[in-house]
Amino acid sequence: MVSEETDSSADSSVPPIFGGLPALSRFVENMGLQYEKFGVPCIGGRILGLLLLTPHPISAEEISQRLLVSRSSVSTNMRTLLMTGLAERAFIPGDRREHFIFSDSAWQRSLDMRLDGVTSLQSMAQAGLEELSFDHPARSRLAEMVAWADCLHEAYQHVRIELQSQKE
């Protein structure tokens, strides 16, 4: 727990996830709020933030204790984070509990998920265009959507290549 001696400016609404480092605690909370905008439950974003800042594998029990949430909430959200590739399981010899880490490929995976979403929208718009007559009033909007998706697809591909070259 953060004492007044350690940090008198700490926001009392932010749990002391990182002891005397309120900036890291706020980061974790803000990750929850940010990922909520993408349809991820707030706790999923908070778990991701905690994993990002924790330099070693962390158990579900420790995640639950540090974030002050139920173990079942951690389990539910970890399944989603594992399925999306943002987190990975880590095994510690001699410890039977599951441990988790922030995935080394999380940013690439996040980019891929967004690209998949753009590609889906592009396919829907293209299919809609094929169904409409040449003079239908909705045609220009669907064509604009296809062009938008083409532009984003190209930009994402450029970012993907840049990220890969930075890793190498």
Side-chain angles (χ1 to χ4, degrees):
M1 201 148 161
V2 177
S3 70
E4 289 182 23
E5 289 176 29
T6 307
D7 184 12
S8 59
S9 66
D11 182 352
S12 61
S13 67
V14 177
I17 299 165
F18 284 92
L21 300 171
L24 296 182
S25 296
R26 279 192 301 275
F27 172 82
V28 170
E29 296 305 315
N30 288 335
M31 283 286 286
L33 297 173
Q34 182 64 32
Y35 272 81
E36 217 172 23
K37 294 175 186 176
F38 297 120
V40 175
C42 184
I43 184 59
R46 291 176 66 214
I47 291 169
L48 197 58
L50 180 63
L51 292 175
L52 181 65
L53 297 176
T54 304
H56 55 79
I58 185 171
S59 70
E61 292 80 13
E62 188 176 352
I63 293 169
S64 174
Q65 291 168 356
R66 304 245 336 247
L67 296 180
L68 304 174
V69 297
S70 72
R71 176 68 173 78
S72 63
S73 182
V74 171
S75 293
T76 300
N77 284 277
M78 280 309 305
R79 276 193 298 277
T80 301
L81 294 174
L82 291 167
M83 190 171 57
T84 59
L86 300 176
E88 297 176 1
R89 284 185 175 86
F91 298 98
I92 298 180
D95 192 337
R96 294 172 51 186
R97 298 175 301 165
E98 275 190 310
H99 289 76
F100 305 97
I101 57 171
F102 185 80
S103 175
D104 286 341
S105 63
W107 302 126
Q108 180 69 40
R109 184 64 190 122
S110 182
L111 184 63
D112 290 345
M113 286 186 292
R114 283 171 177 68
L115 183 56
D116 289 347
V118 169
T119 301
S120 292
L121 288 172
Q122 183 179 31
S123 295
M124 287 188 292
Q126 192 63 47
L129 277 174
E130 292 170 7
E131 297 289 323
L132 294 178
S133 64
F134 185 72
D135 60 344
H136 194 283
R139 189 167 185 80
S140 65
R141 288 187 182 160
L142 290 178
E144 184 178 312
M145 187 175 172
V146 170
W148 167 83
D150 282 340
C151 183
L152 278 178
H153 194 274
E154 186 176 318
Y156 277 139
Q157 292 295 7
H158 177 73
V159 170
R160 176 188 276 159
I161 291 166
E162 182 62 29
L163 285 173
Q164 189 60 38
S165 69
Q166 287 178 9
K167 274 190 162 185
E168 295 169 358

